Amino acid sequence: MTDQQEFPEDTSEYAETDNVEHHATSKGLALPGQNLPGKVYIIPIHNRPFFPAQVLPVIVNEEPWAETLELVSQSDHHSLALFFMDTPQEDPRHFDTKALPEYGTLVKVHHASRENGKLQFVAQGLTRVRIKTWLKHHRPPYLVEVEYPHQPTEPTDEVKAYGMALINAIKELLPLNPLYSEELKNYLNRFSPNDPSPLTDFAAALTSATGSELQEVLDCVPMLKRMEKVLPMLRKEVEVARLQKEISAEVNRKIGEHQREFFLKEQLKVIQQELGLTKDDRSADIEQFEQRLTGKVLPPQAQKRIEEEMNKLSILETGSPEYAVTRNYLDWATSVPWGVYGEDNLNLKHARKVLDKHHAGLDDIKDRILEFLAVGAYKGEISGSIVLLVGPPGVGKTSVGKSIAESLGRPFYRFSVGGMRDEAEIKGHRRTYIGAQPGKLVHALKDVEVMNPVIMLDEIDKMGQSYQGDPASALLETLDPEQNVEFLDHYLDLRLDLSKVLFVCTANTLDSIPGPLLDRMEVIRLSGYITEEKVAIAKRHLWPKQLEKAGVSKGSLSISDNALKALIDGYAREAGVRQLEKNLGKLVRKAVMKLLDEPKAVIKLGPKDLEASLGRPVFRNEQVLSGIGVITGLAWTSMGGATLPIEATRIHTLNRGFKLTGQLGEVMKESAEIAYSYVSSHLKQFGGDPTFFDEAFVHLHVPEGATPKDGPSAGVTMASALLSLARNQPPKKGVAMTGELTLTGHVLPIGGVREKVIAARRQKIFELILPEPNRGSFEELPEYLKEGITVHFAKRFADVAKILF
């Protein structure tokens, strides 16, 4: 195994040609072209080929080449041949003679030495050599008979031109690569275009080409061909060196810029500190926190705690983790607007104006808000209150909250607690945790910069529970006027006064809100809108908003009142106005398509244009079912009120029985059983055949079986349907009813009177039967809802039967 090393820069004995020639002649040894030996020993090398123009140290393993070098040193000419082998032989003792290339290099051996199992000598390249015959090839030392290629001595003009090109390329390479130093320049001076062979070999040896590529150059004896091979290799080397130099220059420039900037900044810091213009990071932080506290009124406990933390900060090292934790704590503690209160606008006329501007209808809600403001105006300040707005989606709960804030002139902060599962979101994390933060309420106070904002907790009925805690329970302290005077955030660990905050919560239903939480809030119900209110909302708010969104002028596109009514009746009957807004947006988009084709067109939408843009109406005018055993009930859903027909029929008279269908919940099933029992036992009293149910199999059905139905308000309706069946008499037409029945025939009160009245109006039913205890709820309804409606109040089921039959 052999190795080859680059010629070092300062091997002064071998760096210059003159010295090499001196050593050669002083011992009387042959030079290139003189007395070349016919038989030589060979050693294979593996790194890259050795060229005739090179003088380099060569290192070989002592085993098995020691004997070869011993024999060379005893010879007269002190020469051996070096042949390049691309892949080293596994065992040099079993040598494959075919693995050697055609040409090697005859070298003169100088200064052989032995160290650590290696032999080192300086090889001076003399000339190309080719093996003629193998004299000994079974094991080292290998002896061969050789011949030397003949080269013409007189170079042609073309060869000279190539020689000049090679010298220029080498000179270009020198400044680009610092490895080629002054001594190498002197080394280059021995070559001239008139002596092209060593020049070409030297140029090839300078390149970083692969061993096999360099061997091709060594194998190429004809001068011109060899130069044609070497020049592109050298040019490529120049290009690579130039590119490397550019890259390193760019890298150095960038590093230099950063270093310069860094040094200048550090110098500036020191100069400013010396002049007292700036302080170090710690002083700057403390000063910033102290500045934040000016003008704030801190409770004694908070004042003491913040001072302690400031002292702690002043002695900590700025790089320590504890410094970052303390700094973060002070950042939050000083951001709270301690004792800063915004001034309330207690002008009731202004408040009424704001509420009317943003909302059509909702008069009872507006009155409730104005009462609340009136108390504040009378007292001179508005203390905090907790209001819960309950209603179906799209009726404007969130925007009512914004309007309250605007009418008071208070900042408004909204966050949704829907889906929240971690109580730390409300009360903050303990300070010891990594990434700990205060709760949402501290975030809110920091953002609004006063202690009396309007904070809206949206979707309070959709809070989750998990192993991390129960946020609904965490809200108990927040929303209790007795407790939130001293609300404790886990992160700050300081008492905050939330008693001046006006909390507005929103929910779709009350069922999923825990009792203790609901108990702390004042419930205001927002039921759905009737058609007239929806038309007003569409004209005043939704339609202008959609036109503005699409950038369409009022003159280019308009919609008639009749079209709005048709849209509401056929496509948007839900309690809120969200679906209505979507459909209006759809109409505007369809119209914009036409306006692109005809920019000057004026589009007026009427009832007939709706179907073209929105397709067939989603809602058809429901035929109110009538006949024997069919009664119209009224139901409340989370989406508002609805009419609910109930049908009863006799299947056969083979045996007594009672069957229920229509996806009814437990409460509805109970109501049906009670109604069946009550009517069966009082048939004679209500003018029916007492034996009717004894031999009849009766089926009671609530249509739309796919919709789950539950709730205690259908008992009266079911009993009426069964009585109509038993009497074989259809009930009075155009009557709807609601109420719960007991086994003794009493009619119990129900909820959602407003929603149910709206549902009846929507279906054009103007005669209602309601429980007597709900008289007050009906009387409280706005006049426009009660207008034209006849209501019968029933204490017992007998009152209902009297009206129906």
Side-chain angles (χ1 to χ4, degrees):
M1 175 68 194
T2 67
D3 202 354
Q4 183 179 340
Q5 296 174 350
E6 287 294 331
F7 192 60
E9 278 185 22
D10 193 24
T11 51
S12 52
E13 216 176 331
Y14 296 101
E16 296 186 21
T17 320
D18 300 344
N19 293 345
V20 174
E21 287 180 358
H22 168 72
H23 279 284
T25 50
S26 64
K27 291 184 182 175
L29 299 173
L31 288 171
Q34 301 173 0
N35 307 330
L36 296 172
K39 293 175 188 173
V40 288
Y41 290 100
I42 70 164
I43 292 179
I45 54 173
H46 303 296
N47 202 1
R48 48 195 281 155
F50 200 98
F51 281 94
Q54 286 180 296
V55 179
L56 283 177
V58 175
I59 300 172
V60 296
N61 290 328
E62 190 176 338
E63 177 61 39
W65 306 113
E67 195 182 339
T68 304
L69 282 173
E70 191 65 39
L71 292 167
V72 169
S73 69
Q74 290 168 11
S75 69
D76 299 334
H77 48 75
H78 295 290
S79 302
L80 58 82
L82 295 177
F83 279 83
F84 172 68
M85 282 184 82
D86 210 350
T87 49
Q89 293 286 326
E90 284 181 21
D91 185 358
R93 292 180 184 79
H94 304 291
F95 197 63
D96 180 11
T97 55
K98 290 174 188 169
L100 288 186
E102 187 182 2
Y103 281 96
T105 302
L106 184 73
V107 297
K108 184 154 284 183
V109 176
H110 301 277
H111 297 283
S113 63
R114 180 183 302 205
E115 195 177 335
N116 297 336
K118 299 280 183 188
L119 294 167
Q120 187 171 339
F121 59 91
V122 175
Q124 176 195 359
L126 300 174
T127 181
R128 278 173 175 69
V129 64
R130 184 163 65 184
I131 298 171
K132 199 172 170 187
T133 47
W134 284 82
L135 301 174
K136 186 179 179 214
H137 63 80
H138 295 300
R139 62 184 185 79
Y142 301 121
L143 186 62
V144 290
E145 194 178 332
V146 292
E147 59 182 3
Y148 304 96
H150 174 69
Q151 293 172 358
T153 48
E154 275 304 309
T156 61
D157 289 344
E158 202 175 345
V159 168
K160 280 184 181 176
Y162 264 106
M164 285 305 298
L166 285 172
I167 286 177
N168 289 337
I170 293 169
K171 283 180 176 169
E172 263 184 75
L173 194 59
L174 292 182
L176 292 174
N177 195 330
L179 285 172
Y180 311 126
S181 60
E182 285 300 317
E183 289 170 8
L184 200 53
K185 289 180 191 172
N186 297 335
Y187 195 63
L188 188 59
N189 290 341
R190 75 183 258 213
F191 301 120
S192 76
N194 299 324
D195 187 11
S197 185
L199 172 64
T200 311
D201 290 343
F202 176 72
L206 278 184
T207 68
S208 57
T210 62
S212 52
E213 285 175 329
L214 293 174
Q215 184 60 46
E216 281 179 30
V217 175
L218 194 63
D219 287 344
C220 189
V221 177
M223 200 65 253
L224 194 58
K225 262 191 178 180
R226 198 190 322 162
M227 287 177 140
E228 283 171 358
K229 270 186 197 294
V230 172
L231 188 60
M233 287 162 72
L234 198 58
R235 290 301 328 164
K236 183 181 170 189
E237 202 68 25
V238 171
E239 287 307 313
V240 170
R242 184 174 286 125
L243 190 61
Q244 276 178 333
K245 192 172 185 186
E246 281 173 16
I247 291 168
S248 64
E250 179 64 20
V251 170
N252 289 338
R253 185 185 65 76
K254 282 184 180 170
I255 291 172
E257 273 178 17
H258 284 304
Q259 280 181 328
R260 182 170 173 272
E261 204 174 291
F262 174 75
F263 285 131
L264 286 173
K265 276 182 181 170
E266 289 302 308
Q267 282 175 325
L268 184 65
K269 267 189 196 172
V270 172
I271 291 165
Q272 286 177 331
Q273 280 174 22
E274 288 295 319
L275 293 173
L277 296 175
T278 62
K279 298 171 179 62
D280 61 359
D281 289 349
R282 190 194 290 112
S283 312
D285 281 342
I286 292 171
E287 194 173 289
Q288 182 194 6
F289 297 143
E290 282 170 348
Q291 234 169 1
R292 277 190 199 167
L293 293 174
T294 51
K296 291 180 181 176
V297 184
L298 277 80
Q301 180 208 5
Q303 181 82 46
K304 183 185 171 195
R305 182 68 179 277
I306 287 172
E307 279 172 10
E308 283 171 5
E309 293 290 332
M310 292 267 208
N311 292 337
K312 187 175 167 186
L313 194 74
S314 64
I315 56 170
L316 284 167
E317 276 303 314
T318 50
S320 75
E322 186 63 21
Y323 180 87
V325 171
T326 308
R327 191 197 173 286
N328 205 24
Y329 175 82
L330 282 169
D331 188 24
W332 278 105
T334 56
S335 297
V336 173
W338 301 101
V340 179
Y341 294 94
E343 207 172 307
D344 289 326
N345 181 352
L346 300 174
N347 182 338
L348 294 188
K349 281 181 183 170
H350 164 74
R352 165 67 78 180
K353 205 171 167 186
V354 169
L355 291 168
D356 285 342
K357 177 182 158 195
H358 291 303
H359 300 277
L362 303 179
D363 291 334
D364 47 344
I365 309 297
K366 291 176 186 172
D367 291 342
R368 173 67 195 81
I369 292 164
L370 289 168
E371 286 163 18
F372 167 72
L373 298 182
V375 171
Y378 188 78
K379 188 181 167 189
E381 66 157 357
I382 288 185
S383 55
S385 176
I386 292 107
V387 176
L388 172 62
L389 302 172
V390 184
V395 292
K397 299 183 292 296
T398 306
S399 49
V400 164
K402 282 183 187 163
S403 302
I404 294 172
E406 195 179 323
S407 59
L408 276 172
R410 286 190 180 192
F412 178 75
Y413 187 93
R414 173 193 164 275
F415 69 92
S416 175
V417 292
M420 189 184 280
R421 294 180 309 182
D422 188 355
E423 55 134 12
E425 298 248 4
I426 306 287
K427 302 189 84 169
H429 303 90
R430 306 268 174 220
R431 232 175 103 187
T432 46
Y433 299 134
I434 290 173
Q437 279 207 327
K440 277 278 194 290
L441 294 158
V442 176
H443 278 265
L445 295 176
K446 180 188 175 184
D447 277 17
V448 297
E449 296 176 357
V450 291
M451 291 296 277
N452 61 337
V454 175
I455 294 180
M456 172 165 272
L457 308 175
D458 233 339
E459 314 292 356
I460 203 163
D461 57 329
K462 297 179 186 68
M463 269 190 294
Q465 277 190 14
S466 77
Y467 65 91
Q468 285 159 306
D470 176 10
S473 303
L475 274 177
L476 293 177
E477 181 189 1
T478 314
L479 300 182
D480 189 334
E482 298 299 319
Q483 292 180 36
N484 67 12
V485 180
E486 290 199 328
F487 172 77
L488 184 69
D489 182 89
H490 289 160
Y491 179 81
L492 292 178
D493 208 18
L494 295 172
R495 299 281 174 186
L496 291 163
D497 181 5
L498 300 182
S499 61
K500 299 286 189 287
V501 176
L502 175 51
F503 287 102
V504 181
C505 309
T506 72
N508 295 132
T509 61
L510 299 178
D511 310 348
S512 52
I513 302 175
L517 186 58
L518 191 59
D519 184 49
R520 284 162 164 77
M521 302 186 277
E522 190 174 340
V523 178
I524 299 178
R525 289 186 180 275
L526 284 82
S527 38
Y529 300 105
I530 57 172
T531 306
E532 289 76 11
E533 287 176 328
K534 281 190 178 180
V535 171
I537 291 167
K539 278 169 73 174
R540 279 170 49 184
H541 302 290
L542 307 180
W543 183 250
K545 183 178 164 187
Q546 290 299 331
L547 289 180
E548 190 186 335
K549 206 171 167 185
V552 180
S553 67
K554 288 178 184 175
S556 305
L557 179 60
S558 59
I559 186 166
S560 70
D561 287 7
N562 286 339
L564 283 174
K565 277 183 184 163
L567 175 62
I568 290 159
D569 280 342
Y571 300 89
R573 278 197 200 170
E574 85 287 8
V577 290
R578 214 165 267 153
Q579 203 59 41
L580 175 59
E581 187 174 8
K582 285 180 191 169
N583 282 313
L584 289 172
K586 209 171 185 182
L587 289 174
V588 172
R589 290 197 299 274
K590 298 276 185 190
V592 168
M593 296 279 284
K594 290 178 191 168
L595 288 172
L596 278 176
D597 296 334
E598 305 168 46
K600 291 183 180 172
V602 175
I603 299 173
K604 291 182 178 175
L605 297 172
K608 291 176 184 173
D609 303 320
L610 296 181
E611 217 163 294
S613 298
L614 302 175
R616 301 279 297 162
V618 181
F619 301 96
R620 60 203 179 281
N621 279 335
E622 283 180 31
Q623 196 66 40
V624 176
L625 301 175
S626 60
I628 295 169
V630 180
I631 302 283
T632 304
L634 294 171
W636 180 90
T637 69
S638 62
M639 303 291 284
T643 54
L644 191 73
I646 291 180
E647 304 168 330
T649 184
R650 182 172 66 176
I651 301 172
H652 55 73
T653 55
L654 300 174
N655 61 331
R656 177 190 175 95
F658 183 56
K659 183 179 180 180
L660 271 174
T661 52
Q663 200 172 343
L664 308 177
E666 290 300 318
V667 181
M668 286 278 269
K669 284 177 184 169
E670 278 185 17
S671 295
E673 297 286 349
I674 292 166
Y676 180 70
S677 300
Y678 178 75
V679 174
S680 301
S681 58
H682 293 82
L683 254 182
K684 191 175 181 185
Q685 183 189 334
F686 296 122
D689 175 6
T691 61
F692 177 81
F693 287 110
D694 296 345
E695 52 196 33
F697 192 92
V698 177
H699 184 168
L700 188 80
H701 175 62
V702 184
E704 286 188 61
T707 315
K709 292 168 276 288
D710 200 13
S713 65
V716 169
T717 321
M718 289 172 166
S720 302
L722 291 169
L723 182 57
S724 168
L725 179 67
R727 287 179 59 138
N728 197 27
Q729 180 188 351
K732 184 177 178 183
K733 278 193 174 179
V735 178
M737 64 183 72
T738 180
E740 189 48 80
L741 187 66
T742 68
L743 264 180
T744 53
H746 285 89
V747 180
L748 298 180
I750 44 84
V753 172
R754 181 186 171 120
E755 287 88 343
K756 288 173 180 178
V757 172
I758 289 172
R761 284 193 83 97
R762 203 183 288 133
Q763 290 295 78
K764 301 195 170 43
I765 296 171
F766 295 102
E767 195 170 347
L768 305 180
I769 299 173
L770 298 178
E772 175 66 40
N774 284 108
R775 188 186 285 270
S777 309
F778 181 78
E779 297 296 340
E780 284 172 10
L781 293 181
E783 285 307 318
Y784 65 83
L785 279 183
K786 296 191 283 188
E787 193 185 330
I789 287 186
T790 309
V791 180
H792 307 281
F793 294 101
K795 276 185 179 175
R796 298 182 63 83
F797 183 70
D799 305 338
V800 179
K802 204 179 287 177
I803 297 158
L804 283 180
F805 306 109

